[in-house]
Amino acid sequence: MKVPVLIPRIFDYPHTYLSGKFDKLKPGSIVLVPFGRKKEIGVIWDKQEKTNKIFKLKNVLEKKSISLNENLIKFINWFSLYNLAPKGMVLKMCLGDESFFSKNSNFIDDTKIKKKNKFNLNPEQKRCLDDINGFGNKFNVTLLQGVTGSGKTIVYFEKIKQNLMQGKQSLVLLPEIFLTNQFEQRFEDYFGFKPSIWHSKITKKNKKIIWQNIVNNKIKLVVGARSSLFLPFKKLGLIVVDEEHDSSYKQDEGLRYNARDMAISRASIEDIPIILATSIPSLETYNNVKNKKYNSTKLKKRYKNFLLPSTEIVNLNLNKKNKNIWLDIKTLNLARKYLDSKQQVLFFLNRRGYAPFLICKKCGLKLACPNCSVFLTFHKQLNKAMCHHCGHKSSIKQKCQKTDFNCEFQMYGPGVEKIFAELRQIFPDKTIKILSSDFLNKKKETINLLKDIENNKVNILVGTQLISKGFNFPNLNCIVVVDADFSGMGFDLRSTEKNIQLYNQLSGRAGRFSKKSLIIYQTFNPSDKTLSDILENNPEKFLEEESCLRKEKKLPPFSRLIAFIVESNNEKESFLEAQKIKKNLLLLKDIEVMGPVTSPIFKIKNKYRTRLLLRSQSNVLVQKKISRILKNLNISKKIKLTVDVDPLNFS
Ligand SMILES: [Zn+2]
Ligand SMILES: [Zn+2]
C-alpha cells in the first residue's frame, strides 16, 4: 500500500513510500524511512501528493511506538498554509530531536494536586470564572482583561484546576522565558506540584522527558514560551495566552509566526477554549471582542484594592545643565524619599549598553557596524562597541584620521550602564543592579538576582523592557522612566500601541502591595501626544481612537499585510529580484503591492535588503494563491526570500 510520509525538512509535501510489512499505518504514525543515502524519521501524512513523475517506491523501515494525533497534523497543515512555511519545517518544530523516539525516559506524573488551594477568589474573580465557564468547553476565545495586579492569574489557575480534574492537559503560554521561573513558583504554591517548563533554553535531556510524557498524556500542565505551541499534546483541554498583547509572541527569525494567533488556531482545531489574559488587549483582540468574535470578561479593581501609582512629569528642559547627565535633580529628590524608607526604586530605560553613539572628538568618526547599516553601542562591561543586530564587537582603540594617536571617543545618549554609573556616584551606599538581557545569561544568577530583589536586598534597579513583563516585586514603589520621549522610535506602525501597553505594564510593577506608589516620566517633550495618552490611562479610549485611525489608513486588523524581504550580497540584485516578485504578485486580484524599497536597515550581516509589502482584505486567505505563485517562480539561488505574514517589525 502507498503511504504519504512527511519528512521534517524543507519540503512542503509528503513523499510516497510503500507500507511494506506494516499494515496498521495511520496518519500520525511515526516511521523510519530510507531517504537518499540516509534514514530519516517521518510522519504518515493525511494526504498523498499528486505527481506524474514515476519513482521507484521504497518501503517503510520501522514503525515507532509513539504517534502524533490527527489534530496536530491538521494544525501543521493550517500553520504552513497561513504562514507560507514549508510543512516539513513546521513538523520539525513538533518532533524536536531524534532521540525523542528512542526508549522511554523517566516517567512523570504531575497529576496529583497535593496541597489544598489556600487562595480564595474574591467576588470579582468568581464572577470572571463563572463567565468563562459559561462560555462552555468547546472552542471559544475569551479575553480576560484586568489592570495589572488584579489577580487574573488566579482566575485562570482555577480554570486549569477544573481542566486537570477532567484528566485533560493545559498549556500556558508566556511571552518571555525569563518569566517562567517566577511563574513556576506561583504554580507550585497553588497546585502543589511543579508544572513542566518548556522553552528553547532547557536542556536536551529535559526536553526529551517532557516531550515523551506529553505525547502519552502523563504531563498535564505545561508552561512555556512560543515553541511549546508545537508540543504533541494527546488530550489538550485548555490554552491560556498570558500578556496576549506582547509582541514577543511574534517570532521574527526562521519560521515566522505569531504564537498568540497560532494558539487560537490550535484551540480551534482541538475544539477547546482559549483564554487571552492582559491588562490592555492588542488592537486585534479588542476588535474581535467588539465584533463579538471573542467573549470577554473583566476584573475592574486591583487585588486588595491598592491604587495605581500616581504620576509626575519631570521636564528635562528646566534643570538640565550638563549634557551628559541623564538623571534630573527633581527626579533624584523624589526617588530618595522612597530609598530612605527602604523601598525600591526602578530606573527604566529601554536601551542596552552604556551609550548608543560613539563619535571621535578629533576626526568626527562615528563608530558603525562593518556588516550592518547601524551604529555601534558602547558596552562598558565589555569595554567594546557592539552591534545589536549581528553581535559584531569592535575595539574602541581606532587609529584616528586626524592625529597620530587613537580616536578619542565621546559617548552620546544614555544606556542602562550609563544610568547605573550615574546612580553609583549619587547613591554610593546603595545596592544597585542592572536587569537587562546582557546581564541575565546564566539561569542561576538570574534566579538569585530575582530572589534578592524580592527580599529587598537590592535598593535600586536599572532595567530594560524585560522588567515590565509580569515580574512581581513587593517592595518596588517608585519607577523612573529615564527617557519618556517617543518620537522617532523604531519602524513600526504599532509603536504607539506598544508604548501604551509597555508603560501600562511597567506602572503595574509598582505598588503591588502598597498604597503610595509613584511613576516619574523624564522628558524633553512634556506635551507629547503619546505621553499624554499614557498618563490619561484610559485604554478603551485609546484603543477606540487607534482603531479609527487604522481603519482610515487601511492598516491591520482592517487589512492583511504580508512582507517579502529579499536579501542578497549584491544591492542591485536584491532590488531586481524584488521587482520580479512584485510583477508576479500583481497577477493576483484585489491586492496592492507596495515597494520595492530598501529596508530602513538596508544592510544586516552583509546582506542588502529590499522589501515589498502586500496588502489584501483581512477576510480573504490570499496565502494559498501566493504560495502557488512563489512555487512557480524561478527565484535566483543568490538571493534569500523571507515571507512574513502579519509582520510587526518593518526594519
Ligand atoms: Zn552588525
Ligand atoms: Zn578620530
Side-chain angles (χ1 to χ4, degrees):
M1 197 179 76
K2 281 184 193 170
V3 284
V5 177
L6 186 66
I7 311 279
R9 283 172 178 257
I10 194 153
F11 300 113
D12 199 31
Y13 51 86
H15 290 73
T16 303
Y17 285 86
L18 293 170
S19 58
K21 60 180 175 177
F22 305 99
D23 51 357
K24 276 183 188 155
L25 294 176
K26 285 188 308 193
S29 296
I30 297 175
V31 292
L32 194 69
V33 291
F35 188 77
R37 282 182 201 168
K38 283 192 192 156
K39 293 171 187 169
E40 285 270 357
I41 285 286
V43 175
I44 305 289
W45 218 243
D46 54 351
K47 268 196 206 114
Q48 211 117 4
E49 178 78 357
K50 278 180 225 133
T51 171
N52 297 324
K53 291 181 206 158
I54 296 170
F55 295 104
K56 190 171 176 294
L57 296 180
K58 292 175 182 165
N59 280 330
V60 167
L61 299 173
E62 194 183 323
K63 179 179 179 285
K64 301 282 177 185
S65 58
I66 19 185
S67 63
L68 305 180
N69 74 15
E70 246 178 293
N71 283 342
L72 189 55
I73 291 179
K74 283 186 199 155
F75 175 66
I76 293 171
N77 286 337
W78 166 255
F79 185 108
S80 149
L81 171 66
Y82 187 89
N83 296 298
L84 289 158
K87 287 190 185 93
M89 295 311 281
V90 189
L91 177 65
K92 196 175 170 198
M93 295 293 289
C94 299
L95 291 184
D97 197 83
E98 206 158 306
S99 73
F100 291 4
F101 313 107
S102 62
K103 227 175 69 204
N104 263 36
S105 49
N106 304 14
F107 171 82
I108 294 183
D109 189 2
D110 72 357
T111 52
K112 282 180 212 105
I113 299 174
K114 290 163 203 142
K115 264 189 227 164
K116 251 204 134 175
N117 155 23
K118 54 190 171 194
F119 297 81
N120 284 319
L121 270 64
N122 66 26
E124 270 216 301
Q125 289 171 320
K126 265 193 203 119
R127 180 182 44 77
C128 283
L129 183 65
D130 286 347
D131 282 350
I132 292 170
N133 282 331
F135 301 135
N137 277 333
K138 298 253 177 218
F139 171 65
N140 72 85
V141 189
T142 301
L143 167 66
L144 171 59
Q145 192 181 351
V147 291
T148 35
S150 60
K152 297 183 286 283
T153 319
I154 304 298
V155 176
Y156 72 67
F157 275 5
E158 269 304 303
K159 181 70 188 166
I160 289 172
K161 207 163 102 184
Q162 295 174 1
N163 195 51
L164 284 172
M165 301 292 199
Q166 295 167 11
K168 293 182 203 159
Q169 295 169 305
S170 305
L171 168 65
V172 178
L173 287 174
L174 297 177
E176 196 67 61
I177 61 173
F178 296 113
L179 283 175
T180 50
N181 295 325
Q182 231 191 9
F183 240 80
E184 192 175 4
Q185 194 55 51
R186 288 174 81 180
F187 265 96
E188 208 182 340
D189 290 347
Y190 199 86
F191 293 100
F193 67 87
K194 274 192 166 68
S196 297
I197 302 286
W198 184 274
H199 54 68
S200 54
K201 298 271 163 67
I202 62 168
T203 62
K204 232 177 170 180
K205 194 180 145 208
N206 260 335
K207 276 190 180 162
K208 181 180 171 183
I209 296 173
I210 295 173
W211 196 93
Q212 292 189 339
N213 284 291
I214 284 174
V215 86
N216 64 18
N217 194 18
K218 287 287 183 296
I219 284 179
K220 293 287 195 278
L221 182 48
V222 178
V223 177
R226 291 182 297 240
S227 55
S228 51
L229 192 59
F230 299 97
L231 286 169
F233 294 98
K234 264 279 123 85
K235 209 177 168 191
L236 193 57
L238 177 70
I239 304 178
V240 176
V241 182
D242 204 353
E243 312 291 3
E244 70 90 22
H245 65 275
D246 198 307
S247 52
S248 307
Y249 281 122
K250 174 79 184 184
Q251 166 88 22
D252 259 342
E253 273 172 15
L255 206 60
R256 291 182 181 226
Y257 63 96
N258 187 317
R260 177 204 55 212
D261 297 345
M262 290 302 113
I264 295 169
S265 303
R266 182 138 193 205
S268 154
I269 289 166
E270 305 273 356
D271 198 18
I272 57 169
I274 175 166
I275 297 172
L276 309 178
T278 180
S279 68
I280 302 184
S282 63
L283 207 67
E284 280 80 2
T285 300
Y286 172 77
N287 267 285
N288 283 324
V289 170
K290 221 171 104 180
N291 300 333
K292 306 254 170 356
K293 263 180 84 180
Y294 295 176
N295 307 310
S296 88
T297 184
K298 214 172 194 175
L299 288 161
K300 294 190 183 89
K301 289 183 213 134
R302 266 189 143 182
Y303 195 64
K304 294 185 180 158
N305 271 330
F306 291 132
L307 294 171
L308 284 166
S310 50
T311 50
E312 182 89 40
I313 292 190
V314 171
N315 184 342
L316 289 176
N317 301 301
L318 300 178
N319 298 322
K320 202 161 157 54
K321 288 178 190 83
N322 185 329
K323 258 215 260 170
N324 223 0
I325 296 286
W326 295 92
L327 297 174
D328 189 272
I329 186 84
K330 191 177 165 195
T331 304
L332 293 169
N333 285 338
L334 288 166
R336 194 170 278 123
K337 282 188 195 148
Y338 284 86
L339 293 171
D340 286 348
S341 57
K342 297 218 160 42
Q343 301 179 68
Q344 281 164 344
V345 180
L346 160 70
F347 290 82
F348 173 82
L349 178 65
N350 210 3
R351 221 173 280 131
R352 294 159 54 201
Y354 187 89
F357 305 108
L358 292 145
I359 302 172
C360 174
K361 278 197 272 189
K362 299 278 159 47
C363 70
L365 174 76
K366 203 168 173 185
L367 218 49
C369 179
N371 313 320
C372 314
S373 56
V374 295
F375 295 112
L376 297 179
T377 298
F378 179 60
H379 284 243
K380 197 165 195 170
Q381 193 202 17
L382 302 167
N383 197 28
K384 284 207 161 75
M386 190 171 141
C387 171
H388 288 175
H389 286 274
C390 71
H392 169 88
K393 294 186 190 88
S394 276
S395 160
I396 52 163
K397 284 193 184 120
Q398 305 270 340
K399 177 84 193 66
C400 191
Q401 307 280 341
K402 278 271 174 72
T403 67
D404 290 335
F405 307 99
N406 284 335
C407 279
E408 262 182 67
F409 286 110
Q410 186 96 23
M411 315 277 174
Y412 287 94
V416 281
E417 292 181 23
K418 170 76 173 82
I419 298 305
F420 177 80
E422 268 184 50
L423 287 163
R424 260 301 219 349
Q425 295 240 308
I426 302 161
F427 301 109
D429 55 337
K430 300 288 180 208
T431 309
I432 310 175
K433 294 279 179 193
I434 298 184
L435 197 77
S436 99
S437 55
D438 293 309
F439 293 81
L440 295 181
N441 288 326
K442 291 186 187 112
K443 191 183 168 192
K444 208 173 161 198
E445 283 172 24
T446 309
I447 293 174
N448 287 342
L449 175 60
L450 293 174
K451 271 200 185 126
D452 284 352
I453 300 170
E454 271 177 58
N455 297 331
N456 212 8
K457 284 182 186 156
V458 174
N459 308 114
I460 301 176
L461 262 170
V462 185
T464 59
Q465 68 161 0
L466 196 64
I467 205 162
S468 67
K469 302 193 178 187
F471 290 112
N472 204 350
F473 301 135
N475 300 300
L476 178 63
N477 288 321
C478 175
I479 295 177
V480 177
V481 178
V482 175
D483 182 14
D485 284 303
F486 302 101
S487 49
M489 278 186 178
F491 319 97
D492 188 346
L493 67 97
R494 286 174 178 80
S495 39
T496 314
E497 182 190 349
K498 271 197 202 159
N499 277 319
I500 298 275
Q501 282 154 347
L502 169 66
Y503 289 99
N504 174 273
Q505 270 200 311
L506 187 69
S507 64
R509 296 303 122 228
R512 292 178 80 96
F513 301 93
S514 159
K515 292 203 169 69
K516 270 192 182 164
S517 55
L518 175 68
I519 175 155
I520 302 165
Y521 294 93
Q522 293 199 134
T523 180
F524 286 105
N525 302 294
S527 55
D528 179 76
K529 172 86 171 73
T530 307
L531 183 58
S532 53
D533 281 344
I534 292 168
L535 292 175
E536 200 182 333
N537 195 21
N538 186 349
E540 261 71 26
K541 183 175 161 236
F542 163 75
L543 286 166
E544 197 46 50
E545 279 174 12
E546 184 76 6
S547 198
C548 289
L549 203 72
R550 298 253 189 106
K551 199 170 193 171
E552 196 185 296
K553 293 189 173 165
K554 286 198 287 171
L555 290 170
F558 304 98
S559 68
R560 168 164 291 129
L561 297 178
I562 300 177
F564 298 80
I565 304 128
V566 181
E567 287 173 88
S568 164
N569 292 326
N570 178 305
E571 198 179 340
K572 201 173 165 199
E573 191 172 40
S574 145
F575 199 83
L576 290 175
E577 277 304 311
Q579 264 180 332
K580 195 171 106 190
I581 293 169
K582 175 175 180 169
K583 219 175 107 195
N584 283 279
L585 289 173
L586 283 175
L587 298 172
L588 294 171
K589 274 182 200 138
D590 301 321
I591 56 137
E592 236 182 295
V593 181
M594 295 163 266
V597 291
T598 48
S599 295
I601 302 177
F602 78 93
K603 194 173 89 174
I604 293 183
K605 295 180 191 172
N606 282 320
K607 300 276 184 213
Y608 292 90
R609 308 163 75 238
T610 309
R611 297 180 69 101
L612 294 170
L613 192 60
L614 180 144
R615 170 153 56 194
S616 74
Q617 282 174 317
S618 53
N619 56 356
V620 178
L621 193 70
V622 70
Q623 286 93 320
K624 217 173 206 167
K625 289 175 185 160
I626 293 177
S627 144
R628 217 169 295 142
I629 287 181
L630 294 179
K631 263 176 204 159
N632 294 326
L633 200 65
N634 236 332
I635 296 171
S636 157
K637 288 225 162 54
K638 288 184 200 150
I639 67 141
K640 187 186 160 206
L641 171 67
T642 306
V643 184
D644 189 356
V645 179
D646 306 329
L648 289 186
N649 186 339
F650 293 84
S651 61

